[in-house]
Amino acid sequence: MEGLLGLFLGAIITYWVLKYIKIQKRKDITNSQSMVIMEKIRKVWKLITVEGEFAEIYHYENTKERFMSMVSSKKKAILLINAKAHVGYDLSKIKMEANNDKKVIRLTDFPDPQILSLETDLRYYDKKEGLFNKFDSTDLTEVNSKAKEHVLLKIPESGLFDTAKSEALEAVLLIQNIVETIGWTLDYEDLLLSKNNKGIMLKENLVKKLEA
């Protein structure tokens, strides 16, 4: 009788030990899944949503004085700048929280759009040098840098950032697709409730998408 009781108690203990191990293993797998999915999202890194092309004319002028400022020498150039700007999102900056019990990734904050790349093609026109003021490699590097800065200042005025903000929903839906590949759910309700322009645009775009 005592032997049967011992076997019975042993079986119960073994059952609960195995169940505990199974639960812990499931938790480890779930925790691992949430880490993998968030890392996968961040590895997408940069997502281009808007492309803009610019054609700008830039005037460069430099004057140097010689002989105790008695003589001045001027060099100048006119540049035609053709540029292509890519604006979008750096997904490594998003903020997320994982609810392992419910298998939900909550998106708590989404970055603002930024310039991801800028390609420039410069052509010199009407390039003139002074007798004591010639163009050298350092000058050309400076001119190229200032011409690029000139284009960068034009990008905010172009409306590319506003267009990129209106495309924020597409970026969120991309993340949603990544999350759903392992059977999780993306919760971005915090973004929809946001009172800033980004949250308003995201909500408006979601409504339009549902109505389409």
Side-chain angles (χ1 to χ4, degrees):
M1 187 69 178
E2 291 181 358
L4 289 173
L5 182 60
L7 288 173
F8 179 70
L9 291 175
I12 292 176
I13 292 171
T14 302
Y15 169 77
W16 285 109
V17 168
L18 291 174
K19 187 172 182 179
Y20 175 79
I21 293 173
K22 187 176 181 180
I23 291 172
Q24 290 300 116
K25 187 175 181 180
R26 190 182 299 120
K27 285 183 178 179
D28 290 341
I29 292 173
T30 303
N31 290 336
S32 177
Q33 281 182 328
S34 64
M35 292 301 294
V36 168
I37 196 66
M38 288 194 286
E39 189 64 26
K40 188 183 290 187
I41 291 169
R42 290 192 173 99
K43 279 185 177 179
V44 174
W45 284 97
K46 296 177 173 65
L47 178 65
I48 296 171
T49 56
V50 181
E51 178 181 282
E53 295 186 355
F54 298 83
E56 296 287 332
I57 295 177
Y58 178 70
H59 295 263
Y60 173 82
E61 187 175 298
N62 176 270
T63 302
K64 288 185 178 179
E65 296 181 341
R66 293 287 186 271
F67 308 110
M68 299 178 65
S69 302
M70 296 178 63
V71 177
S72 63
S73 185
K74 182 184 295 184
K75 61 187 173 188
K76 61 182 181 178
I78 298 176
L79 286 78
L80 174 62
I81 313 169
N82 289 310
K84 183 181 291 185
H86 293 129
V87 176
Y89 297 92
D90 184 350
L91 298 186
S92 66
K93 295 180 179 180
I94 65 175
K95 294 181 181 179
M96 297 173 288
E97 296 176 358
N99 186 324
N100 294 321
D101 295 330
K102 295 182 178 180
K103 288 193 174 184
V104 172
I105 299 291
R106 190 163 68 92
L107 205 55
T108 59
D109 190 38
F110 201 76
D112 289 319
Q114 65 184 67
I115 301 170
L116 299 179
S117 68
L118 179 65
E119 303 168 7
T120 55
D121 177 33
L122 308 180
R123 296 183 183 180
Y124 285 82
Y125 293 90
D126 194 25
K127 184 179 174 184
K128 295 180 180 179
E129 298 178 319
L131 182 61
F132 304 107
N133 195 1
K134 305 291 185 181
F135 279 100
D136 57 25
S137 58
T138 304
D139 293 323
L140 296 177
T141 300
E142 180 186 359
V143 172
N144 291 350
S145 177
K146 288 187 175 181
K148 189 173 182 178
E149 289 176 8
H150 176 74
V151 176
L152 288 172
L153 291 174
K154 294 291 183 179
I155 293 176
E157 303 171 5
S158 68
L160 285 179
F161 288 122
D162 289 334
T163 304
K165 285 179 181 179
S166 68
E167 298 292 330
L169 178 63
E170 296 301 321
V172 173
L173 293 178
L174 171 65
I175 296 173
Q176 186 177 44
N177 290 335
I178 295 174
V179 170
E180 290 176 351
T181 57
I182 61 168
W184 283 57
T185 301
L186 180 70
D187 176 11
Y188 50 94
E189 187 67 22
D190 286 352
L191 299 184
L192 296 178
L193 295 175
S194 174
K195 292 183 180 180
N196 58 30
N197 289 336
K198 183 170 55 184
I200 293 171
M201 285 186 175
L202 186 63
K203 192 167 185 177
E204 288 176 349
N205 287 344
L206 180 60
V207 171
K208 290 178 183 177
K209 192 171 186 69
L210 293 173
E211 290 176 347

